Structures are given as C-alpha cells and as structure tokens.
Amino acid sequence: MRRIERAYGTFSRLVPLPGKVREAEAKARFERGVLTVSLPRDTAEAAKKIPIES
C-alpha cells in the first residue's frame, strides 16, 4: 500500500485509540514537520492487574 500526502489544502486524519483518555489534558505540538500528540490515559482505564495462578 502506498500513501501520498499533498502539501496544500487542509488536512485531517482520524486515529482510533485503544482506551479512554482525559480529553481536557490532551496536548499537541507541531515542530519542524513533526506532530507530537500527548493523550494521558483515564485513571479508570489504567493498567489492570491480573493474578497468575501457579
């Protein structure tokens, strides 16, 4: 598969996320052609412990 993105006009992309995030704390930064997005996880969706039976 080949993707070509043009450098003119508006641009948008939708990326599905694997869990809930705190939208109010989301941040995005565009610097030197690189987009960095920070999406902190919701504490209710944090890592879950699974007991291991032996």
Side-chain angles (χ1 to χ4, degrees):
M1 176 190 278
R2 203 177 256 183
R3 290 188 185 172
I4 299 173
E5 295 178 355
R6 305 290 179 197
Y8 59 89
T10 60
F11 175 80
S12 67
R13 176 171 289 167
L14 180 65
V15 179
L17 301 174
K20 294 184 180 180
V21 297
R22 294 186 301 242
E23 294 178 17
E25 296 177 25
K27 296 179 184 177
R29 184 179 66 183
F30 187 75
E31 185 177 327
R32 296 184 182 179
V34 177
L35 176 64
T36 304
V37 180
S38 174
L39 301 169
R41 284 185 166 184
D42 189 12
T43 54
E45 290 291 320
K48 298 173 185 172
K49 292 184 179 182
I50 301 173
I52 301 173
E53 298 175 9
S54 57

